[in-house]
Amino acid sequence: MGSRIMHYAIAAELAKKHPVNGAFFLGNEAPDTNKESNTPKELTHFMTLDANQEHVMHIENFTQKYHAASNDDFVIGYYAHLVADDIWLKTMFHKYIPSAGEPDRNRLLALYYADFARLNQLIIEHYQLTFNSNLVAKPKHIIDEIQYQDLPMVWREVQMDFEEIPEAGDLQLFKLADVFEYIDATVKILSVAMQHDYAF
């Protein structure tokens, strides 16, 4: 899955094109509340494990359940996160990480997560991102799969990503151009959906 800063960058780019409020940004990070509440990631991200122990997204389950609320900024942000993760899994993850059981997988996963920290500053600079604590609005309790009391913590973690920047270093696994291409492509796909009164 993409990092918090990747999701923030996608949300920020979409906010330049579409009139969204702070609830959209919060919804865009909300699926990752599973880390705070020990809620299964498969639940918050609408995904399952296939026979090869690889994650598969089922965004259609989300869109079918919450279509009636798909004009709500928090719900649209949540949807944006799921779409971004689906694109990440199908492109970046499978490009850089071999299948489960492959001998080099664990070594490459270690590089993968180490690069996430290095990428934060590069993404922040490239997209000229700033953290704005005033963006957060109190969302309606619509989505059943998350614990709403955990939202302030996940938002605090986004803030920490802006404040606790690691020392600069070369990426060990990713090509930076691939990361920017992923973010830009995801923004284009979501921007089309957000042109309508109901995003899905």
Side-chain angles (χ1 to χ4, degrees):
M1 308 298 188
S3 69
R4 288 184 295 267
I5 290 295
M6 292 178 200
H7 285 295
Y8 191 98
I10 291 166
E13 289 297 292
L14 287 168
K16 294 176 183 178
K17 305 172 185 292
H18 304 279
V20 296
N21 62 30
F24 172 78
F25 279 81
L26 186 58
N28 186 60
E29 303 287 349
D32 287 338
T33 56
N34 71 283
K35 299 171 185 175
E36 312 305 328
S37 61
N38 294 318
T39 305
K41 188 172 186 176
E42 287 74 20
L43 179 66
T44 64
H45 285 74
F46 289 80
M47 63 187 182
T48 58
L49 287 171
D50 65 15
N52 296 317
Q53 297 301 298
E54 299 288 358
H55 280 119
V56 179
M57 305 285 297
H58 301 283
I59 298 176
E60 69 279 4
N61 292 344
F62 178 84
T63 59
Q64 289 168 8
K65 183 173 182 179
Y66 294 112
H67 169 70
S70 64
N71 61 345
D72 177 89
D73 274 8
F74 183 84
V75 175
I76 297 170
Y78 202 107
Y79 172 71
H81 183 115
L82 298 182
V83 170
D85 278 352
D86 189 44
I87 295 170
W88 178 270
L89 282 175
K90 292 175 177 175
T91 57
M92 295 292 287
F93 188 83
H94 290 305
K95 177 175 182 176
Y96 285 98
I97 303 298
S99 300
E102 294 294 325
D104 215 25
R105 181 181 171 98
N106 288 340
R107 182 185 69 82
L108 292 173
L109 279 172
L111 298 178
Y112 171 99
Y113 288 114
D115 271 1
F116 270 22
R118 296 186 182 97
L119 279 165
N120 282 352
Q121 183 63 32
L122 298 170
I123 293 170
I124 288 169
E125 291 176 353
H126 182 79
Y127 292 97
Q128 299 181 333
L129 303 176
T130 56
F131 180 78
N132 186 347
S133 60
N134 296 323
L135 287 174
V136 178
K138 187 176 181 179
K140 303 172 187 175
H141 284 226
I142 296 173
I143 297 174
D144 300 327
E145 287 76 13
I146 59 170
Q147 300 294 322
Y148 277 77
Q149 67 267 24
D150 294 328
L151 289 171
M153 180 59 71
V154 77
W155 194 248
R156 171 59 182 153
E157 289 176 348
V158 175
Q159 183 177 7
M160 289 171 62
D161 286 336
F162 277 88
E163 295 173 350
E164 299 178 4
I165 301 297
E167 292 185 10
D170 294 334
L171 296 177
Q172 301 299 302
L173 181 65
F174 294 115
K175 292 181 179 178
L176 186 58
D178 285 348
V179 176
F180 292 155
E181 182 179 347
Y182 153 74
I183 292 172
D184 295 342
T186 302
V187 168
K188 288 181 181 179
I189 290 169
L190 286 166
S191 187
V192 172
M194 291 173 64
Q195 290 175 2
H196 306 288
D197 291 337
Y198 287 78
F200 52 84

